[in-house]
Coordinates of all heavy atoms in Angstrom, one line a residue:
M181 N -7.6 12.9 -7.5 CA -7.4 11.9 -6.4 C -7.1 12.7 -5.2 O -6.2 13.6 -5.2 CB -6.3 11.0 -6.7 CG -6.1 9.9 -5.8 SD -5.2 8.5 -6.4 CE -6.0 8.3 -8.0
K182 N -7.7 12.4 -4.2 CA -7.6 13.1 -2.8 C -6.5 12.6 -2.0 O -5.7 13.3 -1.4 CB -8.9 13.1 -2.2 CG -9.2 14.1 -1.1 CD -9.2 15.5 -1.7 CE -9.9 16.5 -0.8 NZ -9.9 17.8 -1.3
F183 N -6.4 11.3 -1.8 CA -5.5 10.6 -0.9 C -4.6 9.6 -1.5 O -5.1 8.9 -2.3 CB -6.2 9.9 0.3 CG -6.9 10.8 1.2 CD1 -8.2 11.2 1.1 CD2 -6.2 11.3 2.4 CE1 -8.8 12.1 2.0 CE2 -6.8 12.3 3.2 CZ -8.1 12.6 3.1
S184 N -3.4 9.6 -1.1 CA -2.5 8.5 -1.4 C -2.2 7.7 -0.2 O -1.7 8.3 0.8 CB -1.2 9.0 -2.1 OG -1.4 9.6 -3.4
V185 N -2.5 6.5 0.0 CA -2.3 5.7 1.2 C -1.0 4.9 0.8 O -0.9 4.1 -0.2 CB -3.4 4.7 1.4 CG1 -3.0 3.8 2.7 CG2 -4.7 5.4 1.7
I186 N 0.1 5.2 1.6 CA 1.4 4.6 1.3 C 1.7 3.6 2.4 O 1.7 3.9 3.6 CB 2.5 5.7 1.3 CG1 2.1 6.8 0.2 CG2 3.9 5.1 1.1 CD1 3.0 8.0 0.2
I187 N 2.1 2.4 1.9 CA 2.2 1.3 2.8 C 3.6 0.7 2.6 O 3.8 -0.1 1.6 CB 1.2 0.2 2.6 CG1 -0.3 0.8 2.8 CG2 1.3 -1.0 3.6 CD1 -1.4 -0.2 2.4
P188 N 4.6 1.0 3.4 CA 5.9 0.3 3.4 C 5.7 -1.2 3.9 O 5.0 -1.4 4.8 CB 6.7 1.1 4.4 CG 6.0 2.4 4.8 CD 4.5 2.1 4.5
L189 N 6.3 -2.0 3.2 CA 6.0 -3.5 3.5 C 7.4 -4.3 3.6 O 8.1 -4.2 2.6 CB 5.2 -4.1 2.3 CG 4.8 -5.5 2.5 CD1 3.9 -5.8 3.7 CD2 3.9 -5.9 1.3
Y190 N 7.6 -4.8 4.7 CA 8.7 -5.7 4.8 C 8.4 -7.0 5.7 O 8.1 -6.8 6.8 CB 10.0 -5.0 5.5 CG 11.1 -5.8 5.7 CD1 11.9 -6.2 4.5 CD2 11.5 -6.3 6.9 CE1 13.0 -7.0 4.7 CE2 12.6 -7.2 7.0 CZ 13.4 -7.5 5.9 OH 14.5 -8.2 6.0
N191 N 8.3 -8.0 5.0 CA 8.1 -9.4 5.7 C 6.9 -9.4 6.7 O 7.0 -9.8 7.9 CB 9.4 -9.9 6.5 CG 10.4 -10.3 5.6 OD1 10.2 -10.6 4.4 ND2 11.7 -10.3 6.1
K192 N 5.8 -9.0 6.1 CA 4.5 -8.9 6.9 C 3.4 -9.7 6.2 O 2.3 -9.3 6.4 CB 4.2 -7.5 7.2 CG 5.1 -6.7 8.1 CD 5.2 -7.3 9.4 CE 6.2 -6.3 10.2 NZ 6.6 -7.1 11.4
A193 N 3.8 -10.8 5.6 CA 2.7 -11.6 4.8 C 1.6 -11.9 5.7 O 0.4 -11.8 5.2 CB 3.3 -12.8 4.3
P194 N 1.7 -12.2 7.0 CA 0.5 -12.7 7.8 C -0.4 -11.5 8.1 O -1.6 -11.6 8.5 CB 1.1 -13.2 9.1 CG 2.5 -13.6 8.8 CD 2.9 -12.6 7.8
Y195 N 0.1 -10.3 8.0 CA -0.7 -9.1 8.4 C -1.1 -8.0 7.3 O -2.0 -7.3 7.5 CB 0.2 -8.3 9.4 CG 0.7 -9.1 10.4 CD1 2.1 -9.4 10.5 CD2 0.0 -9.5 11.6 CE1 2.6 -10.2 11.5 CE2 0.4 -10.4 12.5 CZ 1.8 -10.6 12.4 OH 2.3 -11.5 13.5
V196 N -0.5 -8.2 6.1 CA -0.7 -7.2 5.0 C -2.2 -7.3 4.6 O -2.8 -6.2 4.3 CB 0.3 -7.5 3.9 CG1 0.2 -8.7 3.1 CG2 0.2 -6.1 2.9
K197 N -2.8 -8.5 4.5 CA -4.2 -8.5 4.0 C -5.1 -7.7 5.0 O -6.0 -6.9 4.5 CB -4.6 -9.9 3.9 CG -6.0 -10.1 3.4 CD -6.5 -11.5 3.3 CE -8.0 -11.6 2.9 NZ -8.5 -13.0 3.0
K198 N -4.9 -7.9 6.2 CA -5.8 -7.2 7.2 C -5.6 -5.7 7.1 O -6.5 -4.9 7.2 CB -5.3 -7.7 8.7 CG -6.2 -7.0 9.7 CD -7.7 -7.4 9.5 CE -8.5 -6.9 10.8 NZ -9.9 -7.1 10.6
A199 N -4.2 -5.3 6.9 CA -4.0 -3.9 6.7 C -4.7 -3.2 5.5 O -5.3 -2.2 5.5 CB -2.5 -3.6 6.6
L200 N -4.7 -4.0 4.4 CA -5.4 -3.6 3.2 C -6.9 -3.6 3.4 O -7.6 -2.8 2.9 CB -5.0 -4.4 2.1 CG -3.6 -4.3 1.6 CD1 -3.1 -5.4 0.7 CD2 -3.3 -2.9 1.0
E201 N -7.4 -4.6 4.1 CA -8.8 -4.7 4.4 C -9.4 -3.4 5.2 O -10.4 -2.9 5.0 CB -9.3 -5.9 5.2 CG -9.2 -7.1 4.4 CD -9.3 -8.4 5.2 OE1 -9.3 -8.4 6.4 OE2 -9.6 -9.5 4.6
T202 N -8.5 -2.9 6.0 CA -8.9 -1.7 6.8 C -9.0 -0.5 5.9 O -9.8 0.4 6.1 CB -7.9 -1.4 8.0 OG1 -6.6 -1.1 7.4 CG2 -7.8 -2.5 9.0
V203 N -8.1 -0.4 5.0 CA -8.2 0.7 3.9 C -9.5 0.6 3.2 O -10.3 1.5 2.9 CB -7.0 0.7 3.0 CG1 -7.1 1.8 2.1 CG2 -5.8 1.0 3.9
Y204 N -9.7 -0.7 2.6 CA -10.8 -0.9 1.7 C -12.2 -0.7 2.5 O -13.2 -0.4 1.9 CB -10.8 -2.4 1.2 CG -11.7 -2.6 0.1 CD1 -11.6 -2.0 -1.2 CD2 -12.8 -3.5 0.2 CE1 -12.5 -2.1 -2.2 CE2 -13.7 -3.7 -0.7 CZ -13.5 -3.1 -2.0 OH -14.4 -3.2 -3.0
A205 N -12.1 -0.9 3.7 CA -13.3 -0.9 4.5 C -13.9 0.6 4.7 O -15.0 0.8 5.2 CB -13.2 -1.4 6.0
Q206 N -13.0 1.6 4.4 CA -13.4 3.1 4.5 C -14.5 3.3 3.5 O -14.6 2.8 2.4 CB -12.2 3.8 4.2 CG -11.1 3.7 5.1 CD -11.4 3.8 6.6 OE1 -12.0 4.8 7.0 NE2 -11.1 2.7 7.2
T207 N -15.5 4.2 3.9 CA -16.5 4.5 2.9 C -16.0 5.6 1.9 O -16.5 5.6 0.9 CB -17.7 5.1 3.7 OG1 -17.3 6.2 4.5 CG2 -18.4 4.0 4.6
Y208 N -15.1 6.3 2.2 CA -14.5 7.3 1.3 C -13.6 6.6 0.2 O -12.8 5.8 0.6 CB -13.7 8.3 2.0 CG -13.2 9.5 1.2 CD1 -14.1 10.5 1.0 CD2 -11.9 9.5 0.7 CE1 -13.7 11.6 0.2 CE2 -11.5 10.6 -0.1 CZ -12.4 11.6 -0.3 OH -11.9 12.7 -1.1
R209 N -13.8 6.8 -1.0 CA -13.2 6.0 -2.1 C -12.2 6.8 -3.0 O -11.7 6.2 -3.9 CB -14.2 5.4 -2.9 CG -15.0 4.3 -2.2 CD -14.3 3.0 -2.0 NE -15.0 2.1 -1.3 CZ -14.6 1.1 -0.7 NH1 -13.3 0.9 -0.7 NH2 -15.3 0.2 -0.1
D210 N -12.0 8.0 -2.7 CA -11.2 8.8 -3.6 C -9.7 8.7 -3.1 O -9.2 9.6 -2.6 CB -11.6 10.3 -3.7 CG -11.0 11.1 -4.8 OD1 -10.3 10.4 -5.6 OD2 -11.1 12.3 -4.7
Y211 N -9.1 7.5 -3.3 CA -7.8 7.3 -2.9 C -7.0 6.3 -3.7 O -7.7 5.6 -4.6 CB -7.7 6.8 -1.4 CG -8.4 5.5 -1.2 CD1 -7.8 4.2 -1.4 CD2 -9.7 5.5 -0.7 CE1 -8.4 3.0 -1.2 CE2 -10.3 4.2 -0.5 CZ -9.6 3.0 -0.7 OH -10.3 1.8 -0.5
E212 N -5.8 6.2 -3.7 CA -4.9 5.2 -4.2 C -4.1 4.6 -3.2 O -3.9 5.1 -2.0 CB -4.1 5.8 -5.3 CG -2.9 6.7 -4.7 CD -1.9 7.3 -5.8 OE1 -1.7 6.7 -6.8 OE2 -1.3 8.2 -5.3
I213 N -3.8 3.3 -3.4 CA -2.9 2.6 -2.5 C -1.5 2.4 -3.2 O -1.5 1.8 -4.3 CB -3.6 1.3 -2.1 CG1 -4.8 1.4 -1.3 CG2 -2.5 0.4 -1.2 CD1 -5.5 0.2 -0.9
I214 N -0.5 2.7 -2.5 CA 0.9 2.5 -2.9 C 1.6 1.6 -2.0 O 1.8 2.0 -0.8 CB 1.6 3.8 -3.1 CG1 0.9 4.6 -4.2 CG2 3.1 3.5 -3.7 CD1 1.5 6.1 -4.2
V215 N 1.9 0.3 -2.3 CA 2.6 -0.6 -1.4 C 4.0 -0.6 -1.9 O 4.3 -0.9 -3.1 CB 2.0 -2.0 -1.5 CG1 2.9 -3.0 -0.7 CG2 0.6 -2.0 -1.1
I216 N 5.0 -0.3 -1.1 CA 6.3 -0.3 -1.3 C 6.9 -1.6 -0.7 O 7.2 -1.6 0.5 CB 7.1 0.9 -0.9 CG1 6.5 2.2 -1.5 CG2 8.7 0.8 -1.3 CD1 6.5 2.4 -3.0
N217 N 7.2 -2.7 -1.4 CA 7.8 -3.9 -0.9 C 9.3 -3.6 -0.8 O 10.0 -3.5 -1.7 CB 7.5 -5.0 -1.9 CG 8.1 -6.3 -1.4 OD1 8.2 -6.5 -0.1 ND2 8.5 -7.1 -2.4
D218 N 9.8 -3.5 0.4 CA 11.1 -3.2 0.8 C 12.0 -4.3 0.9 O 12.6 -4.6 2.0 CB 11.1 -2.3 2.1 CG 12.5 -1.6 2.3 OD1 13.2 -1.4 1.4 OD2 12.8 -1.5 3.6
G219 N 12.1 -5.2 -0.2 CA 13.0 -6.3 -0.1 C 12.5 -7.5 0.7 O 13.3 -8.2 1.3
S220 N 11.1 -7.7 0.9 CA 10.7 -8.7 1.6 C 11.3 -10.1 1.2 O 11.4 -10.3 0.0 CB 9.2 -8.9 1.6 OG 8.6 -7.7 2.2
T221 N 11.5 -11.0 2.1 CA 12.0 -12.3 1.8 C 10.8 -13.4 1.9 O 11.0 -14.5 1.8 CB 13.2 -12.7 2.7 OG1 12.8 -12.6 4.0 CG2 14.4 -11.8 2.4
D222 N 9.7 -12.9 2.4 CA 8.5 -13.8 2.5 C 7.6 -13.5 1.2 O 8.0 -12.7 0.3 CB 7.8 -13.7 3.8 CG 7.2 -12.4 4.0 OD1 7.2 -11.5 3.2 OD2 6.6 -12.1 5.1
N223 N 6.4 -13.9 1.2 CA 5.5 -13.6 0.1 C 4.6 -12.4 0.3 O 3.4 -12.4 -0.1 CB 4.7 -14.8 -0.3 CG 3.8 -15.3 0.8 OD1 4.0 -15.0 2.0 ND2 2.8 -16.0 0.4
S224 N 5.0 -11.4 1.1 CA 4.3 -10.2 1.4 C 3.7 -9.6 0.1 O 2.5 -9.2 0.1 CB 5.1 -9.2 2.2 OG 5.5 -9.7 3.4
A225 N 4.4 -9.3 -0.8 CA 4.1 -8.6 -2.0 C 3.0 -9.4 -2.8 O 2.1 -8.9 -3.3 CB 5.2 -8.3 -2.9
V226 N 3.2 -10.7 -2.8 CA 2.2 -11.6 -3.5 C 0.8 -11.6 -2.8 O -0.2 -11.5 -3.4 CB 2.7 -13.1 -3.5 CG1 1.6 -14.0 -4.0 CG2 4.1 -13.1 -4.3
V227 N 0.9 -11.6 -1.5 CA -0.3 -11.5 -0.7 C -1.0 -10.2 -0.9 O -2.3 -10.2 -1.1 CB -0.1 -11.7 0.9 CG1 -1.3 -11.4 1.7 CG2 0.4 -13.1 1.1
A228 N -0.4 -9.1 -1.0 CA -0.8 -7.8 -1.2 C -1.4 -7.8 -2.6 O -2.7 -7.2 -2.8 CB 0.2 -6.7 -1.0
D229 N -0.7 -8.2 -3.6 CA -1.2 -8.2 -5.0 C -2.4 -9.0 -5.2 O -3.4 -8.6 -5.9 CB -0.1 -8.7 -5.9 CG -0.3 -8.4 -7.3 OD1 -0.8 -7.3 -7.6 OD2 -0.2 -9.3 -8.2
E230 N -2.5 -10.2 -4.6 CA -3.6 -11.0 -4.7 C -4.9 -10.3 -4.1 O -6.0 -10.4 -4.7 CB -3.4 -12.4 -4.1 CG -2.5 -13.3 -4.9 CD -2.2 -14.6 -4.1 OE1 -2.6 -14.8 -3.0 OE2 -1.5 -15.4 -4.8
Y231 N -4.7 -9.7 -3.0 CA -5.9 -9.0 -2.4 C -6.4 -8.0 -3.2 O -7.5 -7.7 -3.5 CB -5.5 -8.5 -1.0 CG -6.7 -7.8 -0.3 CD1 -7.7 -8.5 0.2 CD2 -6.8 -6.4 -0.4 CE1 -8.8 -7.9 0.7 CE2 -7.8 -5.7 0.2 CZ -8.8 -6.4 0.7 OH -9.9 -5.7 1.2
L232 N -5.3 -7.0 -3.6 CA -5.8 -5.8 -4.4 C -6.4 -6.2 -5.7 O -7.3 -5.5 -6.3 CB -4.6 -4.9 -4.6 CG -4.2 -4.3 -3.2 CD1 -2.8 -3.6 -3.3 CD2 -5.2 -3.3 -2.8
K233 N -5.9 -7.2 -6.4 CA -6.5 -7.7 -7.7 C -7.9 -8.1 -7.6 O -8.7 -7.9 -8.4 CB -5.6 -8.8 -8.3 CG -4.4 -8.4 -9.0 CD -3.7 -9.4 -9.6 CE -2.4 -9.1 -10.3 NZ -1.6 -10.2 -10.8
A234 N -8.2 -8.7 -6.4 CA -9.5 -9.2 -6.1 C -10.6 -8.2 -5.7 O -11.9 -8.4 -5.7 CB -9.5 -10.3 -5.0
T235 N -10.2 -6.9 -5.5 CA -11.1 -6.0 -5.0 C -11.4 -5.0 -6.3 O -10.4 -4.7 -7.1 CB -10.5 -5.1 -4.0 OG1 -9.2 -4.5 -4.3 CG2 -10.4 -5.8 -2.7
D236 N -12.6 -4.7 -6.4 CA -13.0 -3.9 -7.6 C -12.7 -2.4 -7.4 O -13.0 -1.8 -6.4 CB -14.4 -4.0 -7.9 CG -14.7 -4.8 -9.1 OD1 -13.8 -5.2 -9.8 OD2 -15.9 -5.2 -9.3
G237 N -12.1 -1.7 -8.4 CA -12.0 -0.3 -8.4 C -11.0 0.3 -7.6 O -11.0 1.5 -7.4
I238 N -10.1 -0.4 -7.0 CA -9.0 0.3 -6.2 C -7.8 0.6 -7.1 O -7.4 -0.3 -7.8 CB -8.5 -0.6 -5.1 CG1 -9.6 -0.8 -4.0 CG2 -7.3 0.0 -4.5 CD1 -9.2 -1.6 -2.8
D239 N -7.4 1.8 -7.1 CA -6.3 2.2 -7.9 C -5.1 2.0 -7.0 O -5.0 2.4 -5.9 CB -6.4 3.8 -8.2 CG -5.3 4.3 -9.0 OD1 -4.5 3.4 -9.6 OD2 -5.1 5.5 -9.1
Y240 N -4.2 1.1 -7.5 CA -3.1 0.6 -6.6 C -1.8 0.5 -7.5 O -1.8 0.2 -8.7 CB -3.4 -0.6 -5.8 CG -3.4 -1.9 -6.5 CD1 -2.2 -2.7 -6.6 CD2 -4.5 -2.3 -7.2 CE1 -2.3 -3.9 -7.3 CE2 -4.5 -3.5 -7.9 CZ -3.4 -4.3 -8.0 OH -3.4 -5.4 -8.5
Q241 N -0.7 0.5 -6.7 CA 0.7 0.1 -7.3 C 1.3 -0.7 -6.2 O 1.2 -0.4 -5.1 CB 1.4 1.3 -7.5 CG 0.9 2.3 -8.5 CD 1.9 3.6 -8.6 OE1 3.1 3.4 -8.9 NE2 1.4 4.7 -8.2
I242 N 2.2 -1.7 -6.7 CA 3.0 -2.5 -5.8 C 4.3 -2.3 -6.4 O 4.5 -2.8 -7.5 CB 2.6 -3.9 -5.6 CG1 1.2 -4.0 -5.0 CG2 3.6 -4.6 -4.8 CD1 0.7 -5.5 -4.8
I243 N 5.2 -1.7 -5.7 CA 6.6 -1.4 -6.2 C 7.5 -2.2 -5.3 O 7.5 -2.2 -4.1 CB 6.9 0.1 -6.0 CG1 5.8 1.0 -6.8 CG2 8.3 0.3 -6.6 CD1 5.7 0.6 -8.3
S244 N 8.5 -2.9 -5.9 CA 9.5 -3.6 -5.1 C 10.9 -3.1 -5.3 O 11.2 -2.5 -6.4 CB 9.6 -5.2 -5.7 OG 8.5 -5.9 -5.3
Q245 N 11.5 -2.9 -4.2 CA 12.9 -2.4 -4.1 C 13.7 -3.2 -3.3 O 13.3 -4.0 -2.4 CB 12.8 -0.8 -3.5 CG 12.4 -0.7 -2.1 CD 12.3 0.6 -1.6 OE1 12.0 1.5 -2.3 NE2 12.6 0.7 -0.3
Q246 N 15.0 -3.0 -3.4 CA 16.0 -3.7 -2.5 C 15.7 -3.1 -1.2 O 15.5 -1.9 -1.0 CB 17.4 -3.4 -2.9 CG 17.8 -4.2 -4.2 CD 19.2 -4.2 -4.5 OE1 20.0 -3.5 -3.9 NE2 19.7 -4.8 -5.6
N247 N 16.1 -3.9 -0.1 CA 15.8 -3.4 1.2 C 16.6 -2.2 1.5 O 17.9 -2.2 1.4 CB 16.2 -4.6 2.2 CG 15.8 -4.1 3.7 OD1 16.8 -3.7 4.4 ND2 14.6 -4.2 4.1
A248 N 16.0 -1.1 1.9 CA 16.6 0.2 2.1 C 16.1 0.8 3.3 O 16.5 2.0 3.7 CB 16.5 1.1 0.9
G249 N 15.2 0.1 4.0 CA 14.6 0.7 5.3 C 13.3 1.4 5.1 O 12.9 1.8 3.9
V250 N 12.5 1.6 6.1 CA 11.2 2.2 6.1 C 11.1 3.6 5.5 O 10.3 4.0 4.8 CB 10.5 2.0 7.5 CG1 11.1 2.9 8.4 CG2 8.9 2.3 7.2
S251 N 12.2 4.4 5.9 CA 12.2 5.8 5.4 C 12.3 5.8 3.9 O 11.7 6.7 3.3 CB 13.3 6.5 6.1 OG 13.0 6.6 7.5
A252 N 13.2 5.1 3.4 CA 13.3 5.0 1.9 C 12.1 4.5 1.2 O 11.7 5.0 0.2 CB 14.6 4.1 1.5
A253 N 11.4 3.5 1.8 CA 10.2 3.0 1.3 C 9.1 4.1 1.3 O 8.5 4.3 0.2 CB 9.7 1.8 2.0
R254 N 8.9 4.8 2.4 CA 8.0 6.0 2.4 C 8.4 7.0 1.5 O 7.5 7.5 0.7 CB 8.0 6.6 3.9 CG 7.4 5.8 4.9 CD 7.2 6.7 6.2 NE 7.0 5.8 7.3 CZ 7.7 5.7 8.3 NH1 8.8 6.3 8.5 NH2 7.4 4.9 9.4
N255 N 9.6 7.4 1.2 CA 10.1 8.4 0.4 C 9.7 8.0 -1.0 O 9.3 8.8 -1.9 CB 11.5 8.7 0.5 CG 11.8 9.5 1.7 OD1 11.0 10.1 2.4 ND2 13.1 9.5 2.2
N256 N 10.0 6.7 -1.4 CA 9.6 6.2 -2.7 C 8.1 6.3 -2.9 O 7.7 6.7 -4.0 CB 10.1 4.8 -3.0 CG 11.6 4.8 -3.2 OD1 12.1 5.8 -3.5 ND2 12.2 3.7 -3.0
G257 N 7.3 5.9 -1.9 CA 5.9 6.1 -2.0 C 5.4 7.5 -2.3 O 4.5 7.7 -3.1
V258 N 6.0 8.4 -1.6 CA 5.7 9.8 -1.7 C 6.0 10.3 -3.3 O 5.3 10.9 -3.8 CB 6.5 10.7 -0.8 CG1 6.3 12.2 -1.1 CG2 5.9 10.4 0.7
A259 N 7.1 9.8 -3.7 CA 7.4 10.3 -5.1 C 6.6 9.7 -6.1 O 6.4 10.3 -7.1 CB 9.0 9.7 -5.4
L260 N 5.9 8.6 -5.8 CA 5.0 8.0 -6.8 C 3.6 8.4 -6.6 O 2.7 8.1 -7.4 CB 5.1 6.4 -6.6 CG 6.4 5.8 -7.1 CD1 6.3 4.4 -6.5 CD2 6.5 5.8 -8.6
S261 N 3.3 9.1 -5.5 CA 1.9 9.4 -5.2 C 1.3 10.5 -6.1 O 2.0 11.3 -6.6 CB 1.9 9.9 -3.6 OG 2.5 11.1 -3.6
R262 N 0.1 10.4 -6.3 CA -0.6 11.4 -7.1 C -1.7 12.1 -6.3 O -2.4 12.9 -6.8 CB -1.4 10.8 -8.3 CG -0.3 10.1 -9.3 CD -0.9 9.2 -10.3 NE -1.5 8.0 -9.6 CZ -2.4 7.3 -10.1 NH1 -2.8 7.5 -11.4 NH2 -2.8 6.2 -9.5
G263 N -1.9 11.7 -5.0 CA -3.0 12.3 -4.2 C -2.6 13.7 -3.7 O -1.5 14.1 -3.7
E264 N -3.6 14.4 -3.3 CA -3.5 15.7 -2.7 C -3.0 15.6 -1.3 O -2.2 16.5 -0.9 CB -4.9 16.4 -2.8 CG -4.8 17.9 -2.4 CD -6.2 18.5 -2.6 OE1 -7.1 17.9 -3.3 OE2 -6.4 19.5 -1.9
Y265 N -3.3 14.6 -0.6 CA -2.9 14.4 0.7 C -2.3 13.0 0.8 O -2.6 12.0 0.0 CB -4.1 14.3 1.7 CG -4.8 15.7 1.7 CD1 -6.0 15.9 1.1 CD2 -4.3 16.8 2.4 CE1 -6.5 17.1 1.1 CE2 -4.9 18.0 2.4 CZ -6.1 18.2 1.8 OH -6.7 19.4 1.8
L266 N -1.5 12.8 1.8 CA -0.7 11.4 2.0 C -1.2 10.9 3.4 O -1.3 11.6 4.4 CB 0.8 11.7 2.1 CG 1.4 12.4 0.8 CD1 3.0 12.6 1.1 CD2 1.2 11.5 -0.4
A267 N -1.4 9.6 3.3 CA -1.6 8.8 4.6 C -0.7 7.7 4.6 O -0.7 6.9 3.6 CB -3.1 8.4 4.6
F268 N 0.0 7.6 5.7 CA 0.9 6.4 5.8 C 0.3 5.3 6.7 O -0.2 5.6 7.7 CB 2.3 6.9 6.4 CG 3.0 7.9 5.5 CD1 2.9 9.2 5.8 CD2 3.8 7.4 4.5 CE1 3.5 10.2 5.0 CE2 4.5 8.4 3.6 CZ 4.3 9.7 3.9
L269 N 0.5 4.1 6.2 CA 0.0 3.0 7.0 C 1.1 2.0 7.1 O 1.5 1.3 6.2 CB -1.2 2.3 6.3 CG -1.8 1.1 7.0 CD1 -2.3 1.5 8.3 CD2 -2.9 0.5 6.2
D270 N 1.8 2.0 8.3 CA 2.9 1.1 8.6 C 3.0 0.9 10.0 O 2.3 1.4 10.9 CB 4.2 1.6 8.0 CG 4.6 2.9 8.5 OD1 3.9 3.7 8.9 OD2 5.7 3.2 8.4

């Protein structure tokens, strides 16, 4: 795996699908998506999960944690990543 796309997520249900669409629209496919749900109180993680389940062949993880801030979410994403390179989308 070449890239790990790490997406910290906190209460962005109206925007997360569009963010994921921009990743999926890339022609390069050797990547994984790691969404770190940082204690969202809306349905952000559900929206992300529904979109990613509906797309074929995307290697992804959605991890939920208690709200700890964007830096902690990024760090957790890095710890879970398997890619050679990291790309942050937040």
